[in-house]
Amino acid sequence: MDVTNKTAVTEFIFLGFSDQPQLERILFVIILLFYILKLLGNTAIILVSFLDPKLHTPMYFFLSNLSCVDICFTTSVAPQVLVTMGKRDKTMSYGGCVAQLYVATGLGSSECILLAVMAYDRYAAVCQPLLYTTIMHPQLSASMASIAWLSGLITSLIQCSLTVQLPLCGHSKLDHIFCEVPVFIKLACVDTTFNEVELFVASVVFLIILVSLILASYGFITQAVLRIKSAAGRSKAFGTCSSHLIVVVIFYGTIIFMYLQPAKSSSKNQGKFVSLFYTIVTPLLNPVIYTLRNKDVKGALRTLTMGSRFGSERIHA
């Protein structure tokens, strides 16, 4: 009976905002625009971090990894959301939904850890400036980035494997915009207490504990910055660290709202908007915040743009 229940569903129907077609058309345009800008912005950060020797530091190494995660994370969701919003038949195969579940969960978990790693990097840079190059040597930076990617993969394999084992009993309507663990659990036709507890524990580890560590590191950073006698030095330190803190607050805040609530709760459209925010909006905010508030990145972008323009003029000449 369990096998029949699990295999009965061959595709999912996304309810999304289908009851508000006007809103859906507006969201389609907004998501498409944000997705394109996000691809351009994060790709630019990866390019300048790789091409400009002055940016070959742990901070920009982690930032380029964050941009890569953001590109993959949003790409695992945005195209599917655009396709389902742009057609009347808002369906997705069971296999496609499960694949999206694994990929999005893994990349989202990796981003959580990367943000914590970046907080530690800023702590070492501000609180241990004389030992910074010794502490954050290239091998350690590469290892920390690898751990972030690998942890996301392992978390996804465990979390999603437990979720897809739930029998759905033919339930195929997802009252959401993409396949996500809390929404998938709502479709189950059996007691999901174990899955809800497991999801809550994983959320506490990835959200509450990591956020606590990040805030603790910024507490030490604030103390160190306040001890800097130079006003210019304090301003530069606060500017660099506040950019990261803004990203952390926005990203973690929306995910905490989505994942640290009972899986059976009725969040309706509110949950859909929150999911849109941390999958579509936040990945765009990363390059905007880091480029508009960072002189090094802006200078590297200008140099890269001017170099490309100069090379183009020489070819035409």
Side-chain angles (χ1 to χ4, degrees):
M1 184 67 180
D2 284 347
V3 174
T4 304
N5 285 338
K6 290 177 185 177
T7 58
V9 176
T10 58
E11 64 180 19
F12 289 102
I13 302 171
F14 292 98
L15 301 182
F17 302 97
S18 55
D19 58 336
Q20 304 175 64
Q22 187 63 35
L23 173 62
E24 201 166 58
R25 285 190 287 269
I26 295 172
L27 286 175
F28 179 90
V29 175
I30 293 174
I31 293 170
L32 179 61
L33 178 63
F34 272 50
Y35 181 55
I36 293 172
L37 292 176
K38 188 254 345 164
L39 288 177
L40 294 175
N42 282 292
T43 301
I45 286 181
I46 294 172
L47 285 176
V48 297
S49 298
F50 177 75
L51 296 175
D52 194 326
K54 292 184 295 184
L55 301 184
H56 291 174
T57 64
M59 174 181 173
Y60 296 104
F61 171 73
F62 293 129
L63 180 56
S64 60
N65 271 269
L66 181 64
S67 294
C68 185
V69 169
D70 280 339
I71 289 174
C72 298
F73 183 39
T74 307
T75 300
S76 71
V77 174
Q80 172 263 313
V81 172
L82 290 170
V83 168
T84 52
M85 280 188 174
K87 64 177 185 179
R88 290 186 177 180
D89 180 22
K90 302 180 184 302
T91 60
M92 185 179 190
S93 68
Y94 179 86
C97 181
V98 170
Q100 184 181 70
L101 198 70
Y102 275 95
V103 174
T105 301
L107 292 169
S109 301
S110 294
E111 179 153 358
C112 289
I113 298 174
L114 267 175
L115 289 172
V117 168
M118 291 175 71
Y120 176 75
D121 172 68
R122 290 301 84 208
Y123 163 79
V126 176
C127 300
Q128 303 288 338
L130 298 179
L131 299 175
Y132 177 66
T133 54
T134 303
I135 296 172
M136 298 302 297
H137 53 82
Q139 291 80 6
L140 178 61
S141 299
S143 297
M144 293 174 78
S146 299
I147 289 172
W149 286 92
L150 186 60
S151 298
L153 174 62
I154 294 173
T155 301
S156 175
L157 289 175
I158 297 173
Q159 178 73 65
C160 297
S161 296
L162 290 172
T163 302
V164 299
Q165 293 300 313
L166 292 170
L168 304 180
C169 302
H171 299 159
S172 61
K173 291 185 178 181
L174 279 172
D175 192 13
H176 205 51
I177 52 175
F178 64 94
C179 294
E180 202 167 9
V181 172
V183 181
F184 206 98
I185 290 176
K186 291 180 182 180
L187 291 184
C189 57
V190 294
D191 181 27
T192 59
T193 302
F194 173 79
N195 295 80
E196 292 181 40
V197 170
E198 187 275 332
L199 177 62
F200 180 79
V201 172
S203 300
V204 167
V205 172
F206 275 88
L207 301 178
I208 302 302
I209 293 179
L210 286 180
V211 168
S212 299
L213 292 174
I214 291 172
L215 293 178
S217 68
Y218 274 98
F220 289 117
I221 288 172
T222 302
Q223 291 179 351
V225 169
L226 291 175
R227 288 196 295 266
I228 298 175
K229 296 181 180 180
S230 167
R234 285 198 303 271
S235 177
K236 182 178 180 180
F238 270 127
T240 302
C241 296
S242 63
S243 299
H244 180 221
L245 198 54
I246 291 171
V247 172
V248 167
V249 169
I250 295 173
F251 180 75
Y252 276 104
T254 51
I255 291 188
I256 285 173
F257 176 87
M258 184 67 185
Y259 279 80
L260 287 181
Q261 60 175 326
K264 295 290 186 181
S265 67
S266 55
S267 53
K268 204 65 179 172
N269 286 349
Q270 193 176 32
K272 300 172 191 176
F273 281 115
V274 170
S275 295
L276 271 179
F277 203 87
Y278 64 74
T279 55
I280 308 296
V281 178
T282 306
L284 174 62
L285 293 179
N286 289 345
V288 170
I289 289 172
Y290 280 110
T291 54
L292 293 181
R293 295 175 60 87
N294 192 299
K295 293 181 180 179
D296 293 334
V297 175
K298 287 191 289 187
L301 284 172
R302 280 196 298 268
T303 302
L304 183 63
T305 304
M306 290 175 63
S308 301
R309 188 182 304 170
F310 180 70
S312 177
E313 291 175 353
R314 289 187 63 183
I315 291 174
H316 287 300

